[in-house]
Every structure is written in structure tokens, then in C-alpha cells.
């Protein structure tokens, strides 16, 4: 390519169908400053020839099939400003050479197989503005030198194995506006020092093991520039705080979904009048839907689905329609800030990655609402409202045709009750009395850990221990009778420590299963090849058990899958590379 001329300065071959290894002749392009090879099918290791291109300032290899280690000789690229190797299959540790790349501003390496720790030279880089290491297998404590990394504006550490408390010095970053710590093993509470995190605008702490939501909200209200707060799959089973002193002045997006929160919609939310998106779905909230939602001038997306709200739909909520008629738009979110997903009633996937593209939505489905559909929902002279009306009509029709019977004890289904009691009989040690109120003839929908929605059928079984409280652990075997829970969509058996039994076959008898979190127990068995038949499955975590065998490549057929955790087991063989083709996997 450069045999006859070494003056080529820019080479852009992105978004083609190129395949094979990088040619060694690339090293002859000694004047090359910009090299873009992303979004092809290139494979193999990074050719040593690239390390000769000492004038490179921008190098993009993203979205290919490169693998192997990153060579220490990458330090020869001393003029690099932007380096993107995301969405490949690189492995091993990230080389500790960033002190030699003194101009590097953006290092993007998400969705690879890196292990080990954040290199010391990286954690002390004074030039980095963007550091995105999401979706790897990095571990240990997060030790970053905030006083040295003075320009860092975006930090993505989600989807790794970082542990311990959330560092209490992060607030000292004067430029950091985007922070993703989701899907790690962080424990404890949000540091009090975050009250002084004045630069923070976007924060995600989904799917970790943090506690004290009330304290977290009281702290984050002091972050004066905070616009987006994302707490999905966290603070499990806590109370949604009713503290009237909580007040978010600039918050545009609040997502606290799938946390199994208790309580009702708090009054303090009525003062968060800059909200554009509010998602409290997949919780255990009850009470009535407040009418003050009609006062929100900018709210175009409201999801209260999969809860236990009762009463009639307040008429004033239809006033959101006039607000949606306005051209309400979301601020452009950072390119590297990943939101999450949820399943709507039509079994399709709704991605939060680009909030600007979300349709105006009011989702009240799968609650216990009563009354009739308000005529204001279905009549409008504004053609912009047609899509919203269709969404509303479908969601609300489901509400009114599938609401639970109020006298639940009179409508208990014999199969569901039998399955739950058989599960209880398999538990031999329950020191905290977690299952003590599970008694025949009582309302099983009110039993701890049970959630019912459609016609009083069990849709969720959630038993979660506390790692620092041994009395919250359970001992015993899992009864195969759980397969009788035909409407079960969420199965959460987490941190119970001493649950045993071969488990594999049970999943395939649950036709409506969406979420499986069976973590930190002693379950055994293997993952059968036909796991690819579970077309609805959106999340699968078997972390911290004793599963054996190989990981089946058929997992790649689970196109709805967004979360996959299989670590901490006894699997053998290699990880199937085809699983990386799952586009929704985060």
C-alpha cells in the first residue's frame, strides 16, 4: 500500500466487509496520522507493523474480531490522541505503558476480555478526557489518582468485577461529568462526599450491591448539575423514601426500575418538575397514582408498569398530552454513556441508549387499576398524538383486562400455592424466618418474596440474602415443583449461600421467564444446549455457583439478552466467541 509512496497521511476503511489479518506492509506508511479500520471483519492480533507508525494521532480498530494481547510496543505510538479498540476480543492485561503516550486523550476499550487491574500509568494520566473500559473482566478496587487525572470528563467502568466501596474521592474531579459504575460488585453506600460532586451530570449505578437508597437520593440532590440518575437493579427490596426534603432541581431522567422497591410514589417527586423521563417499573410499589403528574411541563415518558398501583387513573394525568404536543426533546447524551433496557408488554426491547429517540409513552400496564379508559386518551385533533394514543390504548387495555382480583385469597391458584409450599419444604434452615409466613390457605401473593400480577398468578419469586448477615442465608434444596409457576417471569435467588440441587432443567419448563438471577449459592449441573430456545430471556446470571461443563454456543440465539453473568463457577473449555454477536448485551 505504501511501497511506492510513504506520504499517505490518512487511511479510512471503516464500515466495509474487509476480513483477514492486518498486512505487515502497513508499517511502511510512515507518514500515516489517521488510521480508521473499524466495523469490518478483521481478525488476528494487532500487527507489529502498526507499532511502527509513530506519527499516528488517531487509531480506530473498533467492531472487528481482533484478539490476543495488546503488545507493550504500543508505547511506540507516542503521538496518539485517540485510541479505540472497542468491541473486539482482546484479552490479557492492559499494558502499563500510558506514561509513554503523553498526548492520549481518549482510550476506548469496552467490550473486550481484558483482565487484571487498571494500569498505574493509566490511573495517573494527566491528558485523558475519556476512559471507557466497560464490559471487560477487570477487578480489584478502583484506585484512580483524581489529583493527576485533571482533564477526565467521562469514565466508564460498568460491566467489570470491581469490588469494595465506591471510592469517596471521585467528587474531587473537577471536569468529570459522566460516570458509569454499573454491573460491578460494589457494596456499601454512596459516599457522603458525593454531595460536593458539582461537575456530575450523568451517573449510572445499576446492577450492583449497594444499599440505602434514601441516603443516596439525599446525597445526589446536592449535585447541582445532575441531569440523569440510573439505579436499575440495585437497592433490592428497600423502601422508596418519602422524605419531603429531597428535591432535584435539574434532574431530567430518573430510572429506578426492577429494584423490587416497596412503598408508594413519594410527594417529593412532585417538585422534580424538570423531569422528562421517569421509570419506576418492575417494583412492588402500591397506592394510587397521584394527579400531580399532570403538572409536569416536560415529562414525555412515564413508566409505572409492573407494580401494584390501585384505584382509577387520575384524569389530570391526561394533561400530559398537551405537554407532549410541545416539541420536548432530550439533551444529547454522551456517546459513551450507556443506559439500560426493559421489556414492554409486546415482548419487544426498548433501548434507553438514545433517549432522544424515545417515543412519547405512558405505560401503566400490569397494575391493579380499575375504572374505565378516560376518553381524553383516545380523542385528539393533533396528528402527533396518534402513536401515543395507540401505545396508551394497548397498555391501558391490558391493565383493565388483566388486573388482579382484590380478594386474592379467594383466587389463589392451586398449582402456584402447591409449588411455593413444596419449595418451602425443601428449605431445611431458615434462621431469619424468611419463609415463616408461607402457610397453606393464606394469600400467597402477600408472602415475602412473592409478587403476583395477572389473575393472581405468581410472576416473581425474589429471595435475597445479605452477604454480611449470615442469618439471612437459607439452606436446603430447590424443589423442581417451581416449574408449576407457569406465569413466572422473574426468578431472583441471590446470596442465599447454601441452596443446592441440580438446576438446569427447571428453566426450560418456565415458558414466561424473562429474568434469572441465581447468584452466590451452591447450585450445580450444566447449561444445556437448548438454552437458546428461551427466546424471552433478557437477563441470565448464574454467578457464584458450582455449575460445570462447557458454556453452550446456543446462548448466542438469545437475541433479547442484555445481561449475562456466568463467572465464579466450574465451567471448562473456552468462551464461545459467537456470544459477542449479541447486540443488546451490556
Amino acid at each position: 500500500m505504501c511501497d511506492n509512496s510513504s506520504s499517505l497521511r490518512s487511511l479510512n476503511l471503516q464500515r466495509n466487509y474487509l476480513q483477514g489479518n492486518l498486512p505487515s506492509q502497513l508499517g511502511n506508511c510512515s507518514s500515516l496520522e489517521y488510521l480508521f479500520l473499524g466495523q469490518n471483519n478483521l481478525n488476528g492480533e494487532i500487527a507489529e507493523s502498526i507499532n511502527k507508525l509513530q506519527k499516528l494521532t488517531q487509531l480506530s480498530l473498533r467492531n472487528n474480531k481482533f484478539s490476543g494481547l495488546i503488545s507493550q510496543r504500543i508505547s511506540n505510538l507516542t503521538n496518539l490522541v485517540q485510541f479505540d479498540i472497542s468491541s473486539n476480543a482482546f484479552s490479557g492485561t492492559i499494558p502499563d505503558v500510558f506514561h509513554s503516550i503523553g498526548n492520549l486523550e481518549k482510550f476506548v476499550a469496552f467490550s473486550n476480555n481484558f483482565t487484571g487491574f487498571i494500569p498505574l500509568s493509566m490511573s495517573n494520566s494527566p491528558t485523558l478526557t475519556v476512559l471507557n473500559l466497560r464490559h471487560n473482566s477487570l477487578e480489584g478496587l478502583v484506585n484512580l489518582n483524581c489529583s493527576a487525572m485533571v482533564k477526565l470528563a467521562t469514565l466508564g467502568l460498568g460491566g467489570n468485577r470491581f469490588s469494595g466501596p465506591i471510592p469517596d474521592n471521585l467528587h474531587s474531579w473537577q471536569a468529570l461529568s459522566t460516570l458509569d459504575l454499573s454491573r460491578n460488585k460494589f457494596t456499601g453506600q454512596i459516599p457522603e462526599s458525593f454531595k460536593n460532586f458539582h461537575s456530575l451530570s450523568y451517573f449510572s449505578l445499576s446492577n450492583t450491591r449497594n444499599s440505602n437508597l434514601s441516603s443516596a437520593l439525599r446525597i445526589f440532590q446536592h449535585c447541582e448539575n445532575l441531569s440523569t440518575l440510573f439505579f436499575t437493579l440495585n437497592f433490592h427490596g428497600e423502601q422508596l423514601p418519602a422524605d419531603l426534603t429531597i428535591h432535584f432541581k435539574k434532574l431530567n431522567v430518573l430510572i429506578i426500575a426492577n429494584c423490587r422497591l416497596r412503598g408508594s410514589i413519594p410527594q417529593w417527586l412532585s417538585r422534580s418538575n424538570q423531569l422528562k423521563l421517569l421509570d419506576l417499573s418492575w417494583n412492588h410499589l402500591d397506592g394510587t397514582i397521584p394527579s400531580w403528574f399532570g403538572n409536569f411541563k416536560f415529562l414525555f415518558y412515564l413508566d409505572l408498569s409492573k407494580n401494584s398501583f390501585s384505584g382509577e387513573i387520575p384524569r389530570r394525568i391526561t394533561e400530559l398530552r398537551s405537554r407532549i404536543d410541545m416539541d420536548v426533546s432530550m439533551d444529547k447524551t454522551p456517546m459513551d454513556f450507556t443506559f439500560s433496557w426493559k421489556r414492554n408488554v409486546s415482548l419487544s426491547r426498548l433501548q434507553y441508549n438514545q433517549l432522544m429517540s424515545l417515543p412519547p409513552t405512558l405505560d401503566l400496564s400490569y397494575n391493579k387499576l380499575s375504572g374505565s379508559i378516560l376518553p381524553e386518551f383516545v380523542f385528539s385533533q393533533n396528528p402527533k398524538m396518534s402513536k401515543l394514543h395507540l401505545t396508551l390504548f394497548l397498555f391501558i387495555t391490558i391493565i383493565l383486562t388483566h388486573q388482579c382480583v382484590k380478594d386474592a385469597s379467594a383466587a389463589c391458584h392451586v398449582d402456584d400455592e402447591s409449588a411455593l409450599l413444596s419449595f418451602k419444604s425443601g428449605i431445611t434452615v431458615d434462621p431469619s424466618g424468611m419463609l415463616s409466613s408461607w402457610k397453606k390457605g393464606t394469600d400467597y401473593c402477600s408472602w415475602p418474596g412473592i409478587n403476583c400480577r395477572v389473575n393472581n398468578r405468581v410472576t416473581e419469586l425474589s429471595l435475597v440474602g445479605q452477604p454480611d448477615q449470615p442469618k439471612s442465608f437459607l439452606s436446603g434444596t430447590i424443589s423442581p415443583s417451581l416449574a408449576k409457576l407457569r406465569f413466572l417471569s422473574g426468578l431472583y435467588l441471590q446470596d442465599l449461600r447454601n441452596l443446592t440441587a441440580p438446576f438446569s432443567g427447571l428453566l426450560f419448563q418456565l415458558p414466561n421467564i424473562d429474568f434469572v438471577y441465581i447468584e452466590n449459592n451452591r447450585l450445580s449441573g450444566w447449561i444445556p444446549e437448548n438454552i437458546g430456545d428461551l427466546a424471552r430471556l433478557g437477563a441470565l446470571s448464574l454467578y457464584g455457583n458450582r455449575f460445570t461443563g462447557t458454556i453452550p454456543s446456543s446462548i448466542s440465539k438469545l437475541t433479547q439478552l442484555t445481561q449475562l453473568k456466568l463467572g465464579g463457577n466450574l465451567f471448562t473449555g473456552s468462551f464461545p466467541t459467537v456470544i459477542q454477536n449479541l447486540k443488546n448485551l451490556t
Side-chain angles (χ1 to χ4, degrees):
M1 183 176 296
C2 294
D3 289 344
N4 299 320
S5 173
S6 61
S7 61
L8 185 67
R9 294 180 57 194
S10 178
L11 178 60
N12 191 339
L13 299 175
Q14 292 187 116
R15 296 182 68 90
N16 282 289
Y17 300 96
L18 303 177
Q19 55 188 352
N21 299 329
L22 293 179
S24 59
Q25 291 85 350
L26 267 177
N28 298 331
C29 302
S30 56
S31 298
L32 206 59
E33 298 177 21
Y34 307 95
L35 179 57
F36 304 103
L37 302 176
Q39 296 173 281
N40 283 287
N41 292 308
L42 300 171
N43 54 33
E45 299 184 355
I46 295 181
E48 284 295 322
S49 56
I50 282 187
N51 298 326
K52 300 178 182 179
L53 305 177
Q54 296 186 15
K55 292 186 178 181
L56 272 184
T57 61
Q58 295 187 33
L59 173 59
S60 175
L61 304 177
R62 66 190 182 96
N63 286 93
N64 278 285
K65 297 179 180 179
F66 291 114
S67 59
L69 306 178
I70 301 295
S71 170
Q72 294 272 349
R73 285 186 284 277
I74 203 75
S75 61
N76 293 338
L77 305 181
T78 55
N79 290 302
L80 265 187
V81 176
Q82 298 184 21
F83 187 20
D84 188 344
I85 53 174
S86 60
S87 298
N88 282 285
F90 291 115
S91 57
T93 58
I94 300 173
D96 192 5
V97 296
F98 292 87
H99 54 278
S100 300
I101 312 177
N103 297 313
L104 190 64
E105 296 178 2
K106 294 184 178 181
F107 181 64
V108 183
F110 65 82
S111 298
N112 280 285
N113 300 317
F114 289 118
T115 57
F117 308 99
I118 298 176
L120 185 62
S121 58
M122 178 182 288
S123 62
N124 285 277
S125 171
T127 59
L128 277 175
T129 61
V130 174
L131 177 57
N132 192 335
L133 302 175
R134 292 185 291 109
H135 313 317
N136 283 284
S137 296
L138 301 173
E139 59 186 332
L141 302 177
V142 175
N143 290 318
L144 298 174
N145 189 345
C146 300
S147 60
M149 305 179 75
V150 292
K151 294 185 178 181
L152 194 65
T154 296
L155 177 60
L157 301 180
N160 281 283
R161 298 176 182 175
F162 294 114
S163 57
I166 295 173
D168 61 3
N169 64 336
L170 299 184
H171 71 284
S172 60
W173 266 313
Q174 307 244 339
L176 191 65
S177 62
T178 301
L179 178 58
D180 180 6
L181 301 178
S182 60
R183 298 175 302 285
N184 279 287
K185 300 179 183 179
F186 294 119
T187 56
Q189 302 183 23
I190 300 296
E192 282 285 332
S193 60
F194 275 35
K195 286 182 177 179
N196 301 314
F197 211 151
H198 300 306
S199 61
L200 189 64
S201 181
Y202 304 90
F203 183 66
S204 175
L205 192 67
S206 67
N207 203 0
T208 61
R209 301 175 182 179
N210 297 99
S211 58
N212 204 338
L213 175 61
S214 180
S215 173
L217 292 172
R218 285 197 298 269
I219 289 170
F220 279 112
Q221 69 175 329
H222 295 282
C223 300
E224 55 194 32
N225 289 304
L226 189 65
S227 66
T228 298
L229 194 54
F230 185 20
F231 281 155
T232 291
L233 286 165
N234 210 340
F235 306 103
H236 298 299
E238 294 188 19
Q239 190 87 8
L240 184 59
D243 186 351
L244 292 176
T245 65
I246 297 174
H247 183 203
F248 289 94
K249 296 180 180 179
K250 294 184 178 180
L251 199 63
N252 291 159
V253 177
L254 178 60
I255 303 171
I256 318 180
N258 209 352
C259 297
R260 306 190 289 284
L261 296 178
R262 296 172 287 108
S264 56
I265 296 178
Q267 184 66 31
W268 60 262
L269 263 178
S270 67
R271 297 192 297 151
S272 301
N273 51 20
Q274 298 299 307
L275 278 175
K276 299 178 181 180
L277 184 152
L278 176 62
D279 187 348
L280 299 176
S281 63
W282 289 93
N283 285 298
H284 294 169
L285 302 177
D286 54 22
T288 59
I289 297 175
S291 60
W292 42 254
F293 276 125
N295 297 333
F296 281 46
K297 296 181 180 180
F298 307 107
L299 189 66
F300 75 95
Y301 188 100
L302 176 61
D303 190 349
L304 304 178
S305 65
K306 313 329 187 278
N307 280 286
S308 297
F309 295 116
S310 58
E312 296 187 355
I313 300 172
R315 188 171 297 274
R316 287 196 59 200
I317 207 170
T318 64
E319 296 178 21
L320 283 172
R321 180 190 64 187
S322 61
R323 307 306 183 188
I324 297 170
D325 279 343
M326 300 166 59
D327 290 327
V328 177
S329 62
M330 293 295 302
D331 295 331
K332 187 174 182 180
T333 56
M335 183 179 300
D336 295 316
F337 189 79
T338 299
F339 290 87
S340 187
W341 53 271
K342 67 180 186 63
R343 183 186 296 280
N344 68 19
V345 295
S346 66
L347 305 185
S348 64
R349 232 6 110 165
L350 179 57
Q351 201 79 14
Y352 285 147
N353 284 351
Q354 295 296 326
L355 290 178
M356 295 179 296
S357 65
L358 286 177
T361 297
L362 174 59
D363 189 348
L364 307 178
S365 60
Y366 293 96
N367 279 285
K368 300 180 181 179
L369 299 171
S370 57
S372 58
I373 298 177
L374 299 172
E376 288 87 345
F377 280 135
V378 292
F379 296 107
S380 174
Q381 302 300 318
N382 192 329
K384 291 183 180 180
M385 297 301 296
S386 59
K387 290 185 178 180
L388 173 66
H389 286 156
L390 178 59
T391 303
L392 286 170
F393 185 79
L394 290 174
F395 287 159
I396 296 173
T397 299
I398 289 174
I399 295 168
L400 300 179
T401 57
H402 292 89
Q403 58 181 308
C404 290
V405 179
K406 292 183 179 179
D407 184 8
S409 60
C412 288
H413 195 281
V414 61
D415 285 347
D416 288 8
E417 182 183 60
S418 172
L420 294 174
L421 291 175
S422 293
F423 175 84
K424 179 184 177 181
S425 67
I427 303 301
T428 56
V429 179
D430 180 11
S432 67
M434 187 184 298
L435 308 181
S436 59
S437 61
W438 287 26
K439 297 179 180 179
K440 186 174 183 178
T442 60
D443 176 12
Y444 60 65
C445 291
S446 65
W447 293 352
I450 302 302
N451 196 26
C452 302
R453 289 196 175 92
V454 181
N455 296 330
N456 273 31
R457 301 303 299 268
V458 174
T459 55
E460 183 179 290
L461 172 57
S462 173
L463 300 174
V464 180
Q466 299 299 320
D468 57 346
Q469 298 179 23
K471 288 187 176 181
S472 67
F473 302 160
L474 296 178
S475 297
T477 59
I478 295 180
S479 170
S481 65
L482 287 184
K484 295 180 181 178
L485 301 176
R486 308 300 290 171
F487 285 81
L488 194 70
S489 62
L491 179 59
Y492 306 84
L493 301 175
Q494 298 168 286
D495 291 304
L496 299 173
R497 299 302 173 96
N498 298 317
L499 285 186
T500 61
F503 189 77
S504 308
L506 174 60
L507 287 179
F508 301 94
Q509 300 176 57
L510 298 171
N512 293 299
I513 197 69
D514 290 330
F515 306 102
V516 176
Y517 289 88
I518 303 173
E519 302 173 327
N520 296 316
N521 297 293
R522 295 185 180 181
L523 301 182
S524 59
W526 62 93
I527 303 179
E529 189 66 32
N530 59 344
I531 193 171
D533 296 338
L534 295 177
R536 295 173 56 109
L537 200 60
L540 175 63
S541 178
L542 304 178
Y543 183 87
N545 284 283
R546 297 179 178 179
F547 291 102
T548 57
T550 58
I551 298 174
S553 59
S554 60
I555 289 179
S556 62
K557 298 179 182 179
L558 301 176
T559 57
Q560 303 295 326
L561 202 64
T562 62
Q563 296 185 31
L564 178 64
K565 289 186 177 182
L566 301 176
N569 283 285
L570 303 173
F571 294 118
T572 57
S574 58
F575 186 82
T577 57
V578 291
I579 294 179
Q580 297 181 47
N581 297 330
L582 291 171
K583 300 300 184 183
N584 292 323
L585 204 60
T586 59

